[in-house]
Amino acid sequence: MPESNPLPYAGVRVVEFTHMVMGPTCGLLLADLGAEVIKVEPIEGDSTRRLLGSGSGFFPTFNRNKKSIALDLKTPEGVGAALRLVATADIVSENFKPGTMKKLGLDYDSLKQLNPRLIYVSHKGFLPGPYDHRTALDEVVQMMGGLAYMTGRAGDPLRAGTSVNDIMGGMFGAIGAMAALRQRELTGKGCEVQSALFENNVFLVAQHMMQFAATGKAADPMPSRISAWAVYDVFTVKDGEQIFLAAVSDKQWAIFCKAFGLEEMLADPRLKTNNDRVLARGWMMPILRSHLAGYSAAELSAVFEQNELPFAPITKPQQLFDDPHLNATGGLAPVRMNDGHMAKVPLMPFTLDGERPGIRLQPPHIGEHTSELLKEVGYSDEEIAAFEARRAGAAG
């Protein structure tokens, strides 16, 4: 961002007690928008740093633009340092099991006595109620919240292919924090914000709930749904390649037919309107599939792009690193991975004054900013050295 346009949350301090995805996403959003986000980690570091498989990219994805302080919250000294940090904070964010922060004396009721202007964001599995004692995961709430049913085929519930509730739940936590900051401007007081996986998932499937409310008919899982549009599907074409193609209006249907020599279908009175074509999919789609099967995916992409028709190649995540649009628009930025090598990570999917909020700080090393932060809140060099010695001993 140009110096004349400071990031919107510059000057806001966030202290986060978070791990995994949901809580760190909240801090990531605020950090990308300029907040100083301080990540309080255990002496041995956030366990997310050591995950394998599908979790191996979590830490560099969700922890850029943050500082790290390593504290042992099982000791009075560690909690004391955390309390000093909280006293300087605008926002505290946490996503531990219910009761954990209370045991540490770091719950909202305790901290608001220390800092009445504090905004306290809790990321949980469920908002307070009959389910709030349950342990939740993204997969748990997708199963019980209707999303897995809608994603999979009938009789085969399937979780979505990414951590949708964790990420969106963290985003709603950040939105709640933003709202609370504005409310504090009006009242002078902080408040508690709660965001939850289950309620987030229900918000995601609200359109299917409301479809039932509107029609009295239950929504079918997405693979077996009756589409609202006639041509709106994945086609298998030359050499077994796959591509998604769509024509969602009468105008697009006419363009599609003319582009591929299907004038007879365009003139067929049984296919005059989109709704006619939806009802005719049983016999119409096999004709279209056969007609397009000899084209390559690249040839179809070129024709659809030229005619401004919707299309999409079936892309694997690893192929996005080389996506020409993402690279040309600055949508990917260099990020340091857990082992130190550099890769590229997607930035926030919006611009401010034409620019994507970028990476100011690489994901921090464990306790990278411990000394400077302790000094800032009044610890002496001797006290800081004692903290560092304990951390070195634990790490060793």
Side-chain angles (χ1 to χ4, degrees):
M1 298 290 294
E3 290 185 10
S4 58
N5 292 322
L7 288 165
Y9 289 97
V12 171
R13 170 169 276 194
V14 180
V15 177
E16 67 168 33
F17 301 87
T18 71
H19 61 135
M20 300 301 282
V21 175
M22 189 183 187
T25 296
C26 175
L28 169 67
L29 184 56
L30 295 169
D32 275 14
L33 290 174
E36 179 192 25
V37 177
I38 299 167
K39 184 176 186 66
V40 179
E41 298 193 60
I43 298 297
E44 66 276 12
D46 183 342
S47 61
T48 310
R49 295 176 179 272
R50 299 181 291 278
L51 292 179
L52 303 176
S54 61
S56 58
F58 283 0
F59 194 85
T61 301
F62 301 110
N63 290 285
R64 62 175 179 257
N65 289 330
K66 299 179 183 180
K67 298 178 179 179
S68 169
I69 182 170
L71 299 174
D72 184 355
L73 296 179
K74 296 176 183 177
T75 66
E77 295 84 2
V79 172
L83 288 171
R84 286 206 204 180
L85 275 177
V86 168
T88 70
D90 297 285
I91 299 169
V92 163
S93 175
E94 64 89 15
N95 70 325
F96 284 92
K97 289 182 180 179
T100 299
M101 298 299 279
K102 187 176 181 64
K103 289 179 184 177
L104 296 171
L106 296 171
D107 58 304
Y108 177 60
D109 286 339
S110 300
L111 296 185
K112 71 179 180 181
Q113 308 301 323
L114 173 69
N115 183 355
R117 289 174 55 81
L118 183 69
I119 292 158
Y120 192 96
V121 186
S122 286
H123 301 85
K124 302 301 182 188
F126 306 90
L127 293 180
Y131 296 160
D132 62 13
H133 65 285
R134 296 186 185 181
T135 299
L137 301 168
D138 206 316
E139 197 139 348
V140 167
V141 300
Q142 288 192 39
M143 295 292 172
M144 67 184 292
L147 183 58
Y149 172 82
M150 289 303 301
T151 303
R153 293 179 173 85
D156 185 21
L158 181 68
R159 70 155 285 165
T162 188
S163 305
V164 287
N165 292 295
D166 283 317
I167 294 169
M168 277 189 65
M171 289 169 59
F172 277 117
I175 292 169
M178 295 171 181
L181 283 171
R182 173 57 182 152
Q183 186 179 65
R184 191 177 73 177
E185 292 178 4
L186 302 174
T187 67
K189 297 179 182 179
C191 71
E192 184 177 16
V193 174
Q194 296 182 339
S195 176
L197 294 174
F198 178 61
E199 282 76 7
N200 181 84
N201 188 93
V202 173
F203 182 76
L204 281 171
V205 301
Q207 59 186 277
H208 305 307
M209 295 169 63
M210 301 314 290
Q211 177 184 336
F212 179 78
T215 68
K217 296 181 180 179
D220 289 321
M222 296 298 278
S224 57
R225 74 196 185 283
I226 298 176
S227 174
W229 297 281
V231 182
Y232 195 81
D233 215 333
V234 174
F235 289 75
T236 299
V237 294
K238 189 176 180 180
D239 297 328
E241 290 185 293
Q242 291 185 306
I243 185 170
F244 173 81
L245 303 173
V248 298
S249 69
D250 294 340
K251 180 179 179 181
Q252 289 184 359
W253 169 250
I255 293 171
F256 168 75
C257 288
K258 291 174 183 176
F260 290 99
L262 295 167
E263 284 80 4
E264 287 187 13
M265 296 188 80
L266 180 59
D268 192 325
R270 298 173 296 171
L271 303 175
K272 185 175 182 180
T273 70
N274 177 70
N275 286 352
D276 291 332
R277 294 188 293 277
V278 169
L279 296 175
R281 278 176 60 89
W283 62 267
M284 180 189 74
M285 290 302 291
I287 295 173
L288 295 183
R289 292 186 189 283
S290 175
H291 188 79
L292 299 178
Y295 291 87
S296 69
E299 290 169 337
L300 289 168
S301 295
V303 175
F304 268 65
E305 185 161 17
Q306 181 181 355
N307 287 279
E308 299 182 354
L309 295 171
F311 73 98
I314 310 304
T315 303
K316 297 176 181 177
Q318 64 269 23
Q319 295 172 313
L320 293 171
F321 288 114
D322 298 317
D323 184 274
H325 179 84
L326 292 175
N327 283 284
T329 59
L332 303 174
V335 68
R336 184 176 62 219
M337 303 297 288
N338 294 339
D339 64 1
H341 86 273
M342 299 301 290
K344 292 186 289 186
V345 69
L347 295 176
M348 285 293 167
F350 57 81
T351 63
L352 295 174
D353 202 18
E355 292 191 30
R356 302 276 280 269
I359 297 180
R360 307 183 311 282
L361 296 172
Q362 289 295 329
H365 298 298
I366 300 171
E368 181 178 342
H369 306 91
T370 300
S371 295
E372 68 178 73
L373 290 169
L374 290 175
K375 189 168 188 176
E376 184 182 319
V377 294
Y379 283 87
S380 67
D381 291 342
E382 292 76 16
E383 290 171 316
I384 293 171
F387 267 99
E388 292 290 354
R390 280 194 292 272
R391 184 163 75 89

